């Protein structure tokens, strides 16, 4: 750790991992409820479990991005963070608001929660992924503004690099597009149209800038390749991500009542969306081939390299599989969508957060890397989670194909109902649950590797001050 203020990343990383653990627990509850419909009912209904599962995913990734930013920006700017105290205040504000929101989902009926939090004054609740009470959304805006102010002031008074410029651009975009969560028009078409400005333009737009900048930072630090080479790659990747991602929003406009030209725009540009992810794979392999040093943190390199491959498969290949309008007509909202969503989120965003934690955590504790035995366990956890997620994706893909065959392709009088179709693919859901448990085991192995690292600190080589 070169700058003392980088230490504020620690609570963000720790809290992110706690929420990640909670997300997997609720994912397993959901997986069980797909098979045993009244599992934990009425204490945790399916809709509540799903809401908690998806909200935890978003919130813990945001904590991970914030921790990554607080770690890498001081090093990139070659100066201390503008205000570590503000970073701590925002951490507690965000953490308390997040915990209260999750408890509200679990302990209070959703309609009553809306009443208690004043949703009638500024209605924003009741939409998928944007279920948070209005007061929580206002809190998120306050946290985002304080966070961007803190990071922006640090960049202004320090060195400007392509990495921190791309990162701050992504963070500002994240905050700006979240403002559309407050726009809740009466027209359902308008509602869905702008709802995607939050959901799609986050994960297939500005989040990719954050992903690219963190990835570039890790490879500069671990390979010793010239910054100029890495920055050229970063320019190419983010340019392709924005060109394809912004107009690629159109693949969500196919059947919501938007003009028909979106069928062409959405199909063409979303078909290009795999390219930036493919470029990330080439970038990662190129960096490893050109590296000038052998970094001892093999676990971090494994996560970073694996991130590019899994992101290409999940966001690129599985996204392309059903992004063309004639195909999407049958697959929209089926388990194929779930397959794409699981692998894309895991590959692109979960793995990059795990990669930066893997890289930064030992340095935050005065070591260049964790001990060899801890790294072996961590790399095993990477393989366990990747294989489990791939199997979950394959199984959900098979479930989606069967769903389309039984429910979507036949004429209305011959098609099975939704529930009858779900019953027909129950065996697939059992297998999915098994690999969900295995994925959870992989996460426990990842967390255990840091506990093991603490107990085997004496095996770690001395910290290289150039790292």
């Amino acid at each position: 750790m070169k700058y003392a203020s980088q230490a504020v990343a620690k609570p963000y990383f720790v809290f992110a991992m706690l929420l990640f653990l909670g997300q997997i627990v609720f994912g397993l509850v959901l997986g069980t409820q797909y098979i045993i419909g009244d599992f934990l009912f009425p204490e945790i209904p399916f809709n509540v479990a799903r809401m908690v599962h998806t909200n935890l995913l978003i919130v813990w990734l945001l904590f991970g991005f914030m921790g990554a930013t607080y770690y890498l920006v001081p090093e990139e700017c070659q100066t201390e963070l503008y205000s570590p105290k503000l970073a701590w205040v925002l951490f507690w504000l965000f953490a308390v608001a997040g915990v209260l929101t999750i408890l509200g989902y679990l302990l209070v009926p959703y309609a009553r929660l809306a009443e208690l939090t004043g949703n009638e004054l500024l209605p924003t609740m009741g939409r998928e992924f944007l279920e948070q009470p209005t007061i929580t959304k206002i809190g998120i805006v306050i946290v985002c503004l304080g966070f961007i102010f803190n990071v922006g002031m640090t960049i202004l008074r320090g060195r400007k690099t392509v990495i921190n410029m791309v990162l701050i651009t992504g963070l500002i975009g994240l905050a700006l597009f979240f403002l559309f969560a407050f726009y809740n028009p009466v027209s359902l078409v308008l509602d869905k149209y702008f709802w995607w400005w939050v959901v799609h333009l986050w994960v297939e737009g500005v989040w990719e800038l954050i992903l690219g900048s963190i990835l570039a930072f890790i490879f500069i630090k671990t390979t010793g390749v010239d910054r100029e080479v890495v920055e050229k790659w970063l320019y190419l990747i983010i340019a392709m991500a924005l060109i394809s991602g912004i107009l690629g929003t159109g693949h969500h406009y196919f059947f919501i009542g938007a003009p028909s030209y979106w069928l062409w725009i959405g199909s063409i540009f979303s078909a290009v969306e795999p390219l930036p992810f493919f470029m990330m794979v080439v970038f990662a392999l190129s960096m490893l081939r050109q590296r000038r040093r052998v970094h001892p943190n093999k676990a971090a390199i494994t996560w970073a390299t694996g991130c590019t491959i899994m992101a290409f498969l999940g966001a690129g290949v599985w996204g392309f599989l059903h992004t063309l309008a004639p195909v999407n007509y049958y697959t929209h909202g089926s388990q194929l969508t779930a397959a794409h969503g699981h692998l894309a989120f895991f590959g692109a965003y979960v793995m990059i957060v795990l990669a930066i934690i893997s890289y930064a955590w030992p340095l935050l504790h005065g070591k260049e890397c964790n001990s060899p035995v801890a790294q072996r366990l961590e790399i095993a956890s990477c393989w366990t989670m990747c294989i489990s997620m791939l199997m979950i994706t394959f199984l959900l893909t098979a479930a989606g194909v069967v769903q389309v065959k039984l429910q979507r392709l036949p004429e209305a009088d011959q098609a099975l109902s939704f529930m009858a179709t779900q019953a027909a693919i129950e065996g697939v859901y059992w297998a999915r649950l098994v690999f969900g448990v295995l994925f959870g085991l992989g996460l426990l192995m990842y967390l255990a590797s840091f506990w093991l690292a603490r107990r085997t600190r004496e095996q770690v080589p001395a910290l290289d001050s150039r790292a």
Side-chain angles (χ1 to χ4, degrees), residues 305-316:
T305 308
C307 167
T308 64
I309 297 170
M310 297 294 278
F312 170 64
L313 292 175

Side-chain angles (χ1 to χ4, degrees), residues 354-367:
L354 298 183
I356 189 67
I357 293 175
S358 179
Y359 172 76
W361 194 258
L363 292 163
L364 286 168
H365 292 80
K367 301 290 182 181

Side-chain angles (χ1 to χ4, degrees), residues 233-463:
W233 273 102
L234 187 56
Y235 276 131
L236 287 172
I237 289 169
I238 64 168
M240 286 305 302
L242 291 177
I243 290 170
S244 60
I246 292 174
L247 286 173
T249 312
H251 68 245
H252 299 295
Y253 293 166
F254 289 161
F255 313 114
I256 66 168
S260 59
Y261 54 73
W262 282 112
L263 295 174
W264 286 97
I265 296 174
S267 295
I268 292 170
F269 283 90
S270 57
V272 181
E273 283 191 70
L275 283 181
F277 291 101
F278 178 72
M279 291 170 70
M280 283 188 195
V281 177
V282 178
F283 161 66
L285 298 179
S286 175
M287 293 303 100
L288 294 176
R289 192 174 60 252
Q290 299 177 50
R291 63 183 168 191
R292 297 179 175 179
R293 60 177 302 210
V294 179
H295 198 281
N297 194 337
K298 294 181 172 58
I301 297 171
T302 302
W303 281 111
T305 308
C307 167
T308 64
I309 297 170
M310 297 294 278
F312 170 64
L313 292 175
V317 176
W318 257 262
F320 179 76
L321 283 177
H322 66 142
T323 199
L324 301 179
V327 178
N328 194 264
Y329 179 77
Y330 295 100
T331 62
H332 190 86
S334 70
Q335 292 294 351
L336 280 166
T337 306
H340 161 55
H342 277 76
L343 190 56
F345 262 101
F346 174 72
Y349 302 120
V350 172
M351 290 188 73
I352 195 61
V353 172
L354 298 183
I356 189 67
I357 293 175
S358 179
Y359 172 76
W361 194 258
L363 292 163
L364 286 168
H365 292 80
K367 301 290 182 181
E368 194 169 14
C369 62
N370 286 333
S371 65
V373 64
Q375 287 197 57
R376 282 197 291 274
L377 180 59
E378 189 182 340
I379 291 171
S381 78
C382 178
W383 281 100
T384 302
M385 280 194 265
C386 287
I387 291 171
S388 302
M389 186 53 70
L390 281 172
M391 290 307 299
I392 289 171
T393 303
F394 289 142
L395 289 165
L396 287 175
T397 303
V401 170
V402 175
Q403 186 179 4
V404 170
K405 182 181 178 183
L406 298 180
Q407 187 187 343
R408 305 286 178 86
L409 289 176
E411 297 297 327
D413 58 341
Q414 297 175 339
L416 288 186
S417 67
F418 174 79
M419 293 308 296
T421 305
Q422 296 303 302
I425 52 183
E426 184 178 307
V428 179
Y429 289 146
W430 274 110
R432 189 263 302 264
L433 183 59
V434 170
F435 285 102
V437 172
L438 189 61
F439 184 90
L441 178 63
L443 174 58
L444 292 177
M445 291 165 63
Y446 178 79
L447 299 177
S449 73
F450 291 92
W451 170 82
L452 185 60
R454 187 179 178 83
R455 295 179 61 88
T456 54
R457 287 173 57 85
E458 70 283 355
Q459 300 177 15
V460 181
L463 177 62

Side-chain angles (χ1 to χ4, degrees), residues 188-198 249 253 256 258-259 261-262:
L188 189 59
V189 174
L190 276 178
D191 176 31
K192 296 300 289 182
Y193 192 91
F194 288 104
W195 179 82
W196 285 113
W197 284 37
V198 184
T249 312
Y253 293 166
I256 66 168
Y261 54 73
W262 282 112

